[in-house]
Amino acid sequence: MHPLNERNFTQKVKWDGVPTLKRALEMLTEQAARTPEGQWVKVTGAWSPYQFKEHREPTIEELNKAVPNKPLWIQYAYNRLWLNKPAMKFFGIGTPKFKVEAGTILHKDNKGNYTGVIDANTFVFVALDAMLPTATPEEEVSSMEYLIRDLNRFGLTTVIENSSVIPYPQGHAPIETLIKENRMNIRFPFVDLGFTYDPNKSWVDTEIERVTKISPISPGQNLNPNMEHGHEYEGTGEVLSPEVHDHENFDKPAIIIPKEKMYKYAEEYTRKLIQKRIPFRVHMTYNENLTPFLDAFEEVVKTTPLDGMRWAVEHAETISDENIARIKKLGGGIALDNKMALHGEGFAKTYGLEKALYTPRFRALMNSDIPLSLTTDAFRVSPANPWTGISWAVTGKAVSGNVILAEDNRLTREEALRLYTIGAAWFENQENDKGRIA
């Protein structure tokens, strides 16, 4: 999951688990009444239109009525964004101020006017969000403390921070405060993203420089003296380069990266990371993008051996039998997530129900003996509640109550629990110490 991206957690509206769209809209009006001038009313994901009794998204008219006078941001995964009229004015939607990136769709009404509904990919959401008011350092610490309490109520004692937009060490300031004041009551191993706005530097080179020169840290090094395995560096990921990021949006056909491009970047950056002994994870939802990545990686390890260094694929919803076997041979792990519990019906509309019933390929992956975990991938694509994923994996039912997993592609309760516990511990080299009550 990505808790460090929630540094304004206490200022957001959470729609996860809300049963009706009617109630969700009421929550926006209530939040607007207590939102100070200059601040936004925000829902930044972790919900699905299929969870609502109405079984649909909000309309922009409903949102403008619910919040007419404060800027409003409603985000659905990394699929769609709704901005009310004050928010449209802030960004300059429909004016030269707002630059439309390739692949971004600005919806219009039947009169040709922009509505404030935007379809875009991950980096557009990130860039727009970065323009909004930020939390103060004190608010960031408070947000992290309340977020951790929220995680505790699900029974969580460890979460793996799988990269934040503000990277190590600056992005870890609120966690460092909680550690210093001995208020950190959850283990917080982290994967760092080599994010940079510098167009002349790659994300991998930035990460290498950061962890070897600027703020040196070694994989497995613990930064929390108050807790064993409390705040350990686990490597880099899950995006090695924005040029070949595997954007997922189940409401639309997959974005397939040109094979030559994926091969080039994968070969260059995985070699550098192996040479520096930095474990890594790579975001690969679609098998079509995973195949050329593995083509390159297999060539890299012939001359730059892993020698036991761990690496992993994130998500792997549409992985093939062939690529399962290749990852096993390469000694990798696969971190699955519960995305289909929330967005499975969207996937079925795009690719057909038969494919959805075997996405991800739980039984084939379990039978492969590859190190596996189940994750929440919170807080944009899905909520942080692991029991949502366990329920889906065991019963086959999405948050709508509809069956979205075939009976012969489900997990037992014990298997699902193991993937969230002992399975997840493998990805931080702690499978012999964590994930079980001994």
Side-chain angles (χ1 to χ4, degrees), residues 167-170 172 175-176 179 188-193 206-224 229-236 273 276-279:
Y168 167 84
Q170 295 90 342
H172 290 242
I175 297 299
E176 291 171 357
I179 291 172
F188 204 85
F190 68 97
V191 174
D192 192 51
L193 177 69
T206 299
E207 178 69 8
I208 291 171
E209 181 181 30
R210 185 182 299 140
V211 301
T212 63
K213 296 179 180 180
I214 298 173
S215 299
I217 188 171
S218 300
Q221 183 176 338
N222 185 15
L223 302 178
N224 184 350
H229 306 309
H231 190 42
E232 295 177 342
Y233 176 61
E234 304 297 344
T236 192
L273 292 170
K276 293 296 183 180
R277 310 305 297 164
I278 299 175

Side-chain angles (χ1 to χ4, degrees), residues 130-428:
M131 300 178 189
L132 304 189
T134 59
T136 66
E138 294 77 15
E139 289 168 340
E140 289 184 357
V141 172
S142 176
S143 283
M144 283 298 106
E145 187 167 33
Y146 276 96
L147 181 146
I148 290 167
R149 290 183 188 178
D150 202 47
L151 298 175
N152 290 155
R153 72 187 177 95
F154 299 131
L156 298 178
T157 59
T158 296
V159 294
I160 300 177
E161 162 59 60
N162 201 28
S163 74
S164 66
V165 174
I166 304 177
Y168 167 84
Q170 295 90 342
H172 290 242
I175 297 299
E176 291 171 357
T177 298
L178 292 175
I179 291 172
K180 183 179 180 181
E181 298 177 0
N182 202 19
R183 294 157 58 194
M184 190 73 178
N185 65 346
I186 199 167
R187 288 181 174 85
F188 204 85
F190 68 97
V191 174
D192 192 51
L193 177 69
F195 186 87
T196 178
Y197 286 108
D198 187 342
N200 298 314
K201 294 182 69 174
S202 77
W203 288 13
V204 166
D205 289 336
T206 299
E207 178 69 8
I208 291 171
E209 181 181 30
R210 185 182 299 140
V211 301
T212 63
K213 296 179 180 180
I214 298 173
S215 299
I217 188 171
S218 300
Q221 183 176 338
N222 185 15
L223 302 178
N224 184 350
N226 307 318
M227 186 184 295
E228 188 176 6
H229 306 309
H231 190 42
E232 295 177 342
Y233 176 61
E234 304 297 344
T236 192
E238 58 185 316
V239 182
L240 301 185
S241 169
E243 297 286 341
V244 289
H245 181 49
D246 174 77
H247 298 281
E248 83 274 3
N249 178 349
F250 291 164
D251 293 334
K252 296 184 178 182
I255 296 175
I256 306 303
I257 299 160
K259 293 180 180 179
E260 300 77 11
K261 189 175 184 180
M262 175 64 79
Y263 190 102
K264 173 182 179 293
Y265 283 98
E267 181 180 38
E268 177 183 355
Y269 294 140
T270 59
R271 191 183 305 277
K272 286 182 177 181
L273 292 170
I274 296 171
Q275 289 170 340
K276 293 296 183 180
R277 310 305 297 164
I278 299 175
F280 66 88
R281 302 173 179 217
V282 60
H283 183 298
M284 288 288 165
T285 292
Y286 301 110
N287 193 66
E288 295 90 338
N289 292 329
L290 177 59
T291 296
F293 173 85
L294 292 176
D295 291 343
F297 195 43
E298 286 170 338
E299 290 301 311
V300 167
V301 299
K302 288 178 181 178
T303 56
T304 313
L306 286 162
D307 288 335
M309 191 186 91
R310 293 189 177 181
W311 70 281
V313 170
E314 305 282 323
H315 312 311
E317 274 89 357
T318 65
I319 191 170
S320 65
D321 286 334
E322 179 186 6
N323 283 341
I324 291 173
R326 297 170 78 187
I327 291 172
K328 182 177 181 178
K329 187 176 181 180
L330 289 162
I334 297 178
L336 303 168
D337 64 51
N338 64 358
K339 195 182 294 114
M340 288 290 286
L342 282 88
H343 311 295
E345 278 124 326
F347 185 99
K349 289 177 181 178
T350 304
Y351 300 102
L353 179 59
E354 183 61 28
K355 187 169 184 176
L357 291 171
Y358 291 91
T359 302
R361 303 184 62 234
F362 272 132
R363 192 47 51 197
L365 287 163
M366 292 294 294
N367 293 340
S368 74
D369 291 327
I370 286 176
L372 292 176
S373 70
L374 251 177
T375 73
T376 62
D377 200 22
F379 290 78
R380 298 297 189 272
V381 173
S382 62
N385 183 354
W387 301 101
T388 300
I390 290 173
S391 175
W392 155 71
V394 172
T395 69
K397 293 182 179 180
V399 294
S400 63
N402 295 327
V403 172
I404 203 68
L405 272 180
E407 189 171 356
D408 62 352
N409 191 40
R410 299 174 196 169
L411 303 180
T412 66
R413 286 180 290 180
E414 181 178 352
E415 286 173 334
L417 190 60
R418 285 180 67 88
L419 292 190
Y420 272 109
T421 52
I422 297 173
W426 183 89
F427 293 80
E428 48 170 321

